[in-house]
Amino acid sequence: MRDYLLRSMLYVPAYRKKFIDSALNCNADALLIDLEDAVPAEFKADARVILKEYIETGAFKDRMVFVRLNPIESNMLFEDLKHVLHPDINGFILTKIYTDEDMVFYDKLITQHEHEMGICDGHFKFLPLIETTSAVMNVYNIAKASKRTIAVCFGGEDFLNDLEGLHKEPPRSFDYPRASIALAARAAGVLPIDTPYLALDNMDGFVKEEKISFEMGFAGMQLIHPKQISYANECFMPEPEEIEKSMAIVEAIKESSKAGSGVAMLNGKMIGPPMRKRAEKVLEIVELAKKYDKQ
């Protein structure tokens, strides 16, 4: 059974209280409270203090919240963790992950902190950012390295810097990493999450690109503005026609079972195991979306 719905994951700079307040009232599936790229160096300390204040007031208690930490090489990671290790935080966006060894390091580090703080083992989940060429080449091992990992996220712009590629329309340089991330994540049993779409005023382009990502197997995407949320929630859901067909498949299987037949038929065609599994997954997503949308 799928436990997480991560269609829309909104980045929120931790040093701006008005952004956090706004995000708390949005309908994103998850909030990504950012201590890294979205926070200028001179505001890093303020961001930690502000975030800790919100955590301690219980602001995030009923939300799915992950914190984007500064990378290992920044010398800010341990200071970040001092302010965010709390049961109301669901986990962490891990930046600049290169290999599975980085994931093992984080797993051991967070396990130690959980033990010291009396937080149940495995509480904090991981979402590693795949944002370098090295990470793309190692994505399956990264995805499998820790049982805490629930998703892997594509960091397209940092990847392009590392690749020395170009971001044109459509971004052909994203084709290989997207395919690699989707395949590796699904093989590892975790969710693939797409890179942010940066053109805030091009919603047609947003929908076109992200519907393709959904077709490729992505479960959701990272967002940089609240106005993208409703579009992402729509793009990463099955089409109404597929939902209707899936319901018909499941119903046909039930009726066949009641009749004592081992073969189910729909519109004159036999329903094979792959069709049944796909239909069940579609309806699982629909039911999970209903729970999220009621929150």
Side-chain angles (χ1 to χ4, degrees):
M1 178 67 181
R2 182 167 164 178
D3 296 320
Y4 298 94
L5 189 71
L6 300 175
R7 300 166 298 179
S8 51
M9 307 184 73
L10 179 67
Y11 277 110
V12 186
Y15 75 109
R16 300 293 295 273
K17 289 186 177 182
K18 70 175 184 178
F19 290 158
I20 298 176
D21 291 337
S22 175
L24 288 170
N25 293 309
C26 79
N27 65 333
D29 290 339
L31 302 181
L32 308 179
I33 310 299
D34 200 355
L35 293 175
E36 197 222 9
D37 274 359
V39 180
E42 63 268 28
F43 294 117
K44 294 283 189 182
D46 292 342
R48 296 186 192 103
V49 172
I50 290 170
L51 179 51
K52 187 173 183 180
E53 289 175 359
Y54 275 87
I55 292 171
E56 291 178 345
T57 62
F60 301 129
K61 191 170 186 64
D62 298 319
R63 296 300 304 259
M64 182 71 66
V65 178
F66 303 94
V67 176
R68 179 156 74 165
L69 302 168
N70 285 286
I72 298 168
E73 61 263 32
S74 70
N75 296 320
M76 291 184 280
L77 172 63
F78 292 98
E79 194 62 33
D80 287 350
L81 288 173
K82 288 179 186 178
H83 293 78
V84 301
L85 290 167
H86 189 281
D88 287 355
I89 298 300
N90 298 93
F92 307 110
I93 303 286
L94 305 179
T95 58
K96 296 298 183 289
I97 297 299
Y98 299 97
T99 70
D100 54 306
E101 292 178 359
D102 295 328
M103 298 300 296
V104 172
F105 165 83
Y106 274 109
D107 197 311
K108 290 180 178 179
L109 176 65
I110 297 303
T111 297
Q112 179 180 338
H113 281 296
E114 285 175 341
H115 290 172
E116 291 174 353
M117 300 183 70
I119 297 174
C120 65
D121 289 349
H123 169 81
F124 295 110
K125 306 305 181 186
F126 290 164
L127 297 89
L129 265 171
I130 307 301
E131 52 187 340
T132 66
T133 52
S134 174
V136 169
M137 299 307 293
N138 288 285
V139 62
Y140 177 71
N141 290 332
I142 289 170
K144 288 285 287 184
S146 171
K147 292 181 179 179
R148 297 176 183 273
T149 301
I150 61 170
V152 290
C153 303
F154 180 32
E157 299 308 311
D158 282 309
F159 168 79
L160 278 184
N161 275 336
D162 204 28
L163 180 68
E164 299 186 24
L166 300 176
H167 190 163
K168 294 191 174 183
E169 293 291 339
R172 301 185 197 280
S173 49
F174 285 179
D175 289 351
Y176 179 83
R178 274 180 169 147
S180 297
I181 289 167
L183 285 167
R186 295 299 185 178
V190 303
L191 300 177
I193 305 298
D194 200 13
T195 191
Y197 188 87
L198 303 183
L200 291 179
D201 295 325
N202 184 6
M203 288 308 175
D204 288 340
F206 179 105
V207 170
K208 182 178 180 180
E209 188 164 322
E210 299 315 320
K211 281 188 175 291
I212 291 172
S213 291
F214 183 64
E215 288 180 18
M216 292 179 70
F218 279 86
M221 67 179 300
Q222 303 154 81
L223 306 175
I224 58 173
H225 196 281
K227 72 180 183 179
Q228 298 175 318
I229 294 170
S230 61
Y231 292 93
N233 286 346
E234 179 182 346
C235 287
F236 291 95
M237 283 290 291
E239 296 285 350
E241 295 81 6
E242 186 175 12
I243 295 172
E244 185 177 341
K245 181 180 178 181
S246 297
M247 293 174 65
I249 288 172
V250 170
E251 184 61 28
I253 293 171
K254 287 181 181 178
E255 292 301 318
S256 174
S257 179
K258 287 180 184 177
S261 173
V263 178
M265 304 290 290
L266 181 65
N267 299 327
K269 295 182 180 180
M270 187 173 71
I271 299 172
M275 293 173 62
R276 175 182 60 80
K277 290 177 182 178
R278 173 60 186 168
E280 290 171 348
K281 286 181 179 179
V282 166
L283 298 184
E284 188 177 286
I285 293 171
V286 171
E287 289 305 308
L288 198 53
K290 288 179 182 177
K291 293 179 183 178
Y292 271 66
D293 293 339
K294 284 181 182 179
Q295 294 176 2

